[in-house]
Amino acid sequence: MPLDALIFDVDGTLADTEEAHRRAFNLAFAQADLPWRWSVEEYRVLLDVAGGKERIRAYWSQLPDAPGPEAMWDRILTLHAAKTALYTEAVRSGQVPLRPGVEATLRSARDAGITLAIATTTSRVNVDALFEGTLGAGALGWFSAICTAETAAKKKPAPDVYLAALAQLGLPPARCLAVEDSRNGVLAARAAGLEVLVTENAYTRGQDFSGALAVLDDLTGLHALPDPPASMMGPMLDATR
Ligand code: XBP
Ligand code: MG
């Protein structure tokens, strides 16, 4: 069946943002006089929890000085707001480029008349900042639906953000393809009834991507895709040949 829409995850898929997230978390912890510093290895494990606020809660909850849930959540909201300010500042200044093949894929999909959408667990301001620092804010207009943490309270691996994107597009899942970088993303997309293509990265390499149509190093490899998804993406791939 030909493809009507591509629905993209953001973090780790459009850009390798997780290092910028990790540094922003650590800076926010330092500014708040907290001794926490997440190493790359520790952060790889923490990424199993989608969403920055939820990630801090999962980490803090297993420390001996963890306060009660309400006091903890208040503190987390303040910490996360500081982290978001630091992250958006870094990303808006162009410190994180798009991953290889992303811009070409977006442009060829548009040329082929394929609708674009975003389904991410990150905050909307983070998506805006990434585009401001890369393709320019105008490219946000390329997407017919931008569904974020504010759209769906239940984060990946729950399907909610993908279901919201499908509802906004008014399309059935069979006519869309999700592009993801993580196991949580694959589970979310599959639970929403979508086929999913994985572009793995340093943080997600080696995860269990069962259920994905294909696993690529990055989106420069689209022409070498097996069938499906090659047949689904046919018109779009033809446009770039
Ligand atoms: C990525 C995330 C995000 C970011 C942090 O998941 O879990 O939470 O790490 O962003 P996915 P916030 O790529 O599957 O959407 O701090 O704004 O939550
Ligand atoms: Mg991701």
Side-chain angles (χ1 to χ4, degrees):
M1 191 181 287
L3 194 63
D4 282 343
L6 277 172
I7 309 178
F8 287 88
D9 169 51
V10 174
D11 291 307
T13 299
L14 294 183
D16 280 320
T17 50
E18 289 302 353
E19 258 310 282
H21 280 296
R22 187 181 72 88
R23 289 201 198 110
F25 279 117
N26 284 340
L27 270 171
F29 299 154
Q31 286 178 359
D33 287 327
L34 287 163
W36 312 337
R37 299 294 180 273
W38 290 347
S39 68
V40 169
E41 275 317 308
E42 208 169 4
Y43 194 62
R44 198 190 310 278
V45 177
L46 286 165
L47 277 177
D48 283 347
V49 181
K53 295 191 275 286
E54 293 80 359
R55 194 166 299 138
I56 300 172
R57 181 173 58 192
Y59 175 80
W60 203 353
S61 300
Q62 36 95 41
L63 296 181
D65 66 341
E70 269 178 42
M72 185 190 287
W73 194 247
D74 277 352
R75 191 81 197 278
I76 287 172
L77 293 180
T78 308
L79 274 172
H80 189 260
K83 175 261 174 182
T84 299
L86 291 159
Y87 174 83
T88 51
E89 193 184 318
V91 167
R92 195 177 288 120
S93 71
Q95 286 181 28
V96 182
L98 295 181
R99 290 188 65 191
V102 167
E103 181 173 355
T105 302
L106 296 176
R107 289 189 185 280
S108 60
R110 273 165 61 74
D111 290 347
I114 291 171
T115 297
L116 297 175
I118 281 174
T120 175
T121 58
T122 206
S123 318
R124 174 63 198 248
V125 288
N126 293 353
V127 179
D128 293 351
L130 180 65
F131 278 89
E132 285 160 25
T134 54
L135 296 173
L140 288 161
W142 296 359
F143 297 88
S144 302
I146 299 181
C147 296
T148 62
E150 291 82 2
T151 316
K154 266 178 91 183
K155 301 200 171 164
K156 299 173 187 176
D160 301 37
V161 74
Y162 276 106
L163 293 172
L166 290 168
Q168 282 191 29
L169 297 176
L171 288 170
R175 301 196 69 90
C176 306
L177 180 67
V179 186
E180 274 287 353
D181 71 304
S182 70
R183 172 172 166 75
N184 277 338
V186 170
L187 292 173
R190 296 296 291 140
L194 288 152
E195 296 289 1
V196 55
L197 189 66
V198 171
T199 59
E200 58 183 2
N201 59 52
Y203 271 114
T204 62
R205 196 158 292 124
Q207 290 185 356
D208 177 3
F209 296 125
S210 313
L213 281 178
V215 181
L216 302 173
D217 287 339
D218 59 49
L219 286 178
T220 60
L222 280 186
H223 284 289
L225 277 176
D227 197 13
S231 55
M232 295 169 80
M233 298 177 110
M236 166 183 158
L237 299 180
D238 292 345
T240 59
R241 257 185 244 280

